[in-house]
Amino acid sequence: MTDLAYVSPRAGRRSTGQRLGRIALRWLLYLVLTLFALWFLMPLFVMLTTSLKSLDEIRTGSLIALPREVTFEPWLTAWGSACTGIQCEGLKPYLLNSLLIAIPGVALSTALGAINGYVFAQWRFRGANLLFSLLLFGCFIPFQVVLLPMARMLGLMGLAGTIPGLILVHTVYGIGFTTLFFRNYYVTIPQELVRAAKIDGAGFFRIFWSIFLPLSLPIVVVTVIWQFTQIWNDFLFGVSFSQAGTQPVTVALNNIVNSTTGVKAYNVDMAAAILAALPTLLVYVVAGKYFIRGLTAGSVKG
Amino acid sequence: MTKWLETQVPKLVLAPSFVAILVFVYGFIGWTAWVSLTRSKLMPRYDFDGFGQYAKLFTTPRWDTAITNLGIYGVLFIAISMALGLLLAILLDQQIRVEGAIRTIYLYPMALSMIVTGTAWKWILNPGLGLEAMVRGWGFETFTFNWLVDPNMAIYTIVLAGVWQAAGFVMALFLAGLRSVDGEIIKAAQVDGIPHWRIYTAIIIPSMAPVFLSAFIVLAHLAIKSFDLVIALTGGGPGYATDLPATYMYAMAFSRGNLGQAASSAMVMMAVVFAIVVPYLYSELRAKND
């Protein structure tokens, strides 16, 4: 697919008119691509500039104008003193909550996914296919269908409204995807390797530890990024199973933006939105390749 | 004994995850299904009451709105995201010099929380201070763009923000699909002098049918689960003009204290998802086992 534009046996016989048409087409192509890039970037740009303006300037100025006077006040407010309801501590404690939920949630679901994927890929037993299908279907349920019983279960376990409760929820509903990722990766490792190791007397865990884990870095990165993005960006579980003080950052952001008390501080809203988005954006910029691989894993055949 | 234990290790390792899935997915679905067949209000009741909740659900105007909205949003969101994603993928497939950078820009919204996306677009679409005010400031005094507060148009703002978020992802799927088409066939077509656009419409796109299918599945799944975007962008309003089944379910469960309605609406959502996903997964799994 790579040399589509160049390989043409009759290219040498093209007239000047055709060549000019080609150049014009090329310009048009770049123009369209640039316009789309602007469309995708516009909200980020607007968020950033709005967050650096004073409220006065927002009311009198234009949406896409650069700030006449840059102020960092909205950022400080969003970080430390914006109100998410009755509390006015900014996003800071909620960013910490999200981290406290995401780190164990990612670690647990990734570890479980790795060992499960290893079993499904290399230690197949009777019924393994059925188990795998059950696990996979679990990935696709709309979570609304488990919200009510989950709330009761967390209550029974004494975890209602707590951070460990949210870690449990994210781990359980993450297993399906993490297992799928690792299984699809480990399937490509030749079974002869396992057989040879078994003949040498290595057991289940030994083989996993000294053959599979050392090969796993790429898929671990993909899975960690996927899970981190999922858990950090989650809102439904966060809003359903948290209480004042344990809310993740997405819930706090929504509360700041939709709080009805006082003057609407759009600049603070935008600064808060960027703060909430920063960790996943950073991951995307640093490890975009792995992010995309996670997104497309399982959705592109072969 | 140890020998037997050794052969059981893989199963033992799977056991905790399997039990968790059995309880937290299938057990919970069962619980919700049962509650949807009772008269539960604020607290769950377990005495069977037939399909009364479903009958009530489908005579509730608010649910009607939610289903209609899901139809509008689902169809437009999927169709526009696919069309735009395919267009962007084809444009990017023309040996663009800065392809990597452009791809990064097109795809970054997918890394954002829908709450962030909703917050950003809510501000941009704010009639008093956003796009409308900006265009009026340019001298077009009568320009109106108040979809966000117009009950008839508000659902389209959700489509707009949804497409903005997902189009780049669809592009990435299609781009991967385009690149996996057999190069030999394309070269042969070029040698035969078949025009560039015909190669796309007659050879490349038809051979990408599986990619279309998976893009459709992913988008449909995203559409049905859309909850955060609506909450952040419109809060389901004005009134309940932009309610989706997901927000209806949430309102019944957590603010109206009507567990029966919440459970039955959740079951309907699951039925819709499974009607789309089950045949797909079934064929995928069969293809893998063959």
Side-chain angles (χ1 to χ4, degrees):
Chain A
M1 196 54 251
T2 40
D3 359 301
L4 198 63
Y6 295 147
V7 184
S8 174
R10 292 179 297 164
R13 273 178 270 151
R14 282 237 167 85
S15 67
T16 328
Q18 268 174 323
R19 210 153 10 113
L20 276 178
R22 238 182 131 66
I23 292 169
L25 217 62
R26 207 77 197 148
W27 273 99
L28 188 69
L29 177 64
Y30 276 97
L31 181 72
V32 173
L33 286 173
T34 311
L35 286 177
F36 273 113
L38 290 179
W39 183 62
F40 280 112
L41 284 174
M42 184 266 288
L44 194 63
F45 173 79
V46 168
M47 275 201 281
L48 195 63
T49 52
T50 305
S51 76
L52 297 171
K53 292 175 186 172
S54 67
L55 270 180
D56 268 343
E57 197 180 331
I58 289 175
R59 279 197 210 93
T60 53
S62 162
L63 180 70
I64 55 161
L66 286 169
R68 279 190 300 270
E69 247 176 279
V70 172
T71 164
F72 292 100
E73 200 59 39
W75 282 80
L76 294 176
T77 311
W79 173 257
S81 65
C83 296
T84 55
I86 33 172
Q87 283 117 322
C88 296
E89 309 159 276
L91 271 193
K92 192 173 59 174
Y94 305 98
L95 285 163
L96 182 69
N97 284 348
S98 275
L99 269 185
L100 289 177
I101 296 164
I103 292 172
V106 170
L108 284 170
S109 55
T110 305
L112 283 168
I115 196 88
N116 290 347
Y118 169 59
V119 172
F120 280 123
Q122 300 284 348
W123 296 80
R124 310 191 53 80
F125 51 87
R126 218 144 51 89
N129 270 338
L130 179 69
L131 282 191
F132 187 61
S133 313
L134 284 175
L135 214 65
L136 213 54
F137 279 117
C139 295
F140 286 95
I141 57 162
F143 289 131
Q144 279 75 15
V145 85
V146 297
L147 277 191
L148 297 173
M150 193 70 199
R152 290 190 73 76
M153 177 69 104
L154 288 174
L156 287 176
M157 295 167 87
L159 294 175
T162 65
I163 285 180
L166 279 169
I167 295 172
L168 173 76
V169 174
H170 283 298
T171 305
V172 168
Y173 297 110
I175 292 177
F177 270 111
T178 57
T179 302
L180 175 71
F181 286 170
F182 278 99
R183 181 227 175 242
N184 286 354
Y185 184 78
Y186 287 154
V187 148
T188 59
I189 295 172
Q191 295 215 311
E192 286 72 40
L193 213 60
V194 176
R195 238 170 268 147
K198 271 197 222 165
I199 291 167
D200 289 344
F204 177 86
F205 291 106
R206 181 72 202 283
I207 297 173
F208 178 65
W209 196 255
S210 42
I211 300 179
F212 281 78
L213 264 195
L215 293 170
S216 303
L217 188 64
I219 196 65
V220 169
V221 175
V222 167
T223 311
V224 165
I225 289 178
W226 167 269
Q227 277 300 91
F228 179 75
T229 315
Q230 290 293 311
I231 298 178
W232 188 273
N233 288 344
D234 160 71
F235 178 74
L236 182 61
F237 287 147
V239 76
S240 306
F241 304 136
S242 68
Q243 59 192 29
T246 60
Q247 286 145 333
V249 69
T250 46
V251 177
L253 170 64
N254 189 54
N255 288 345
I256 288 180
V257 175
N258 291 316
S259 76
T260 39
T261 48
V263 188
K264 287 240 38 94
Y266 297 105
N267 47 6
V268 175
D269 292 355
M270 292 304 121
I274 299 175
L275 277 175
L278 223 48
T280 48
L281 265 187
L282 214 68
V283 167
Y284 173 67
V285 170
V286 172
K289 194 178 77 180
Y290 295 99
F291 176 80
I292 297 166
R293 216 186 283 173
L295 274 180
T296 50
S299 43
V300 178
K301 271 194 184 177
Chain B
M1 181 62 196
T2 40
K3 188 96 184 118
W4 178 84
L5 207 63
E6 221 161 82
T7 59
Q8 298 305 310
V9 164
K11 288 181 209 172
L12 288 174
V13 162
L14 275 187
S17 302
F18 181 62
V19 171
I21 295 295
L22 218 53
V23 173
F24 287 88
V25 174
Y26 296 95
F28 280 9
I29 292 174
W31 192 93
T32 305
W34 183 255
V35 168
S36 78
L37 300 173
T38 67
R39 283 169 186 260
S40 303
K41 279 286 192 190
L42 198 59
M43 294 301 283
R45 292 167 44 175
Y46 299 104
D47 35 327
F48 182 77
D49 186 56
F51 289 87
Q53 295 288 0
Y54 292 92
K56 198 177 147 213
L57 188 64
F58 283 99
T59 51
T60 306
R62 184 170 174 184
W63 175 255
D64 221 43
T65 312
I67 286 286
T68 313
N69 279 340
L70 180 62
I72 298 173
Y73 171 67
V75 168
L76 289 178
F77 168 71
I78 294 171
I80 300 175
S81 298
M82 291 250 257
L84 202 59
L86 181 63
L87 174 74
L88 293 176
I90 291 176
L91 292 182
L92 262 190
D93 196 31
Q94 311 306 315
Q95 291 164 324
I96 302 304
R97 215 166 291 160
V98 284
E99 187 197 306
I102 296 182
R103 230 177 21 201
T104 306
I105 292 171
Y106 288 0
L107 196 63
Y108 87 89
M110 209 57 195
L112 301 179
S113 155
M114 284 199 178
I115 295 290
V116 173
T117 304
T119 303
W121 281 98
K122 185 182 185 161
W123 166 236
I124 294 167
L125 297 171
N126 181 320
L129 295 164
L131 270 179
E132 185 184 277
M134 184 182 85
V135 177
R136 283 188 184 177
W138 291 342
F140 304 94
E141 299 290 344
T142 55
F143 177 82
T144 37
F145 187 58
N146 57 357
W147 287 7
L148 199 58
V149 293
D150 179 345
N152 294 318
M153 300 305 283
I155 186 72
Y156 300 104
T157 64
I158 301 187
V159 176
L160 176 65
V163 169
W164 178 81
Q165 182 145 38
F169 166 57
V170 184
M171 175 215 68
L173 279 184
F174 279 130
L175 202 58
L178 287 174
R179 302 251 153 106
S180 66
V181 174
D182 186 359
E184 292 303 313
I185 302 175
I186 295 162
K187 281 210 182 103
Q190 285 171 333
V191 170
D192 286 346
I194 293 167
H196 202 129
W197 62 271
R198 277 285 293 165
I199 295 179
Y200 273 104
T201 54
I203 299 171
I204 299 175
I205 292 174
S207 74
M208 291 206 314
V211 185
F212 275 90
L213 185 63
S214 25
F216 172 79
I217 297 288
V218 174
L219 289 172
H221 193 234
L222 272 179
I224 295 162
K225 293 212 296 190
S226 287
F227 169 73
D228 349 18
L229 191 58
V230 178
I231 294 290
L233 190 56
T234 64
Y240 49 78
T242 51
D243 242 354
L244 287 180
T247 53
Y248 179 90
M249 185 274 163
Y250 187 82
M252 289 301 149
F254 293 102
S255 47
R256 293 291 196 85
N258 194 337
L259 295 190
Q261 279 295 290
S264 58
S265 57
M267 290 310 289
V268 174
M269 286 178 67
M270 197 182 72
V272 175
V273 171
F274 272 30
I276 296 170
V277 168
V278 168
Y280 169 73
L281 277 185
Y282 184 70
S283 66
E284 285 278 286
L285 287 169
R286 281 212 16 190
K288 265 191 191 130
N289 293 338
D290 282 349

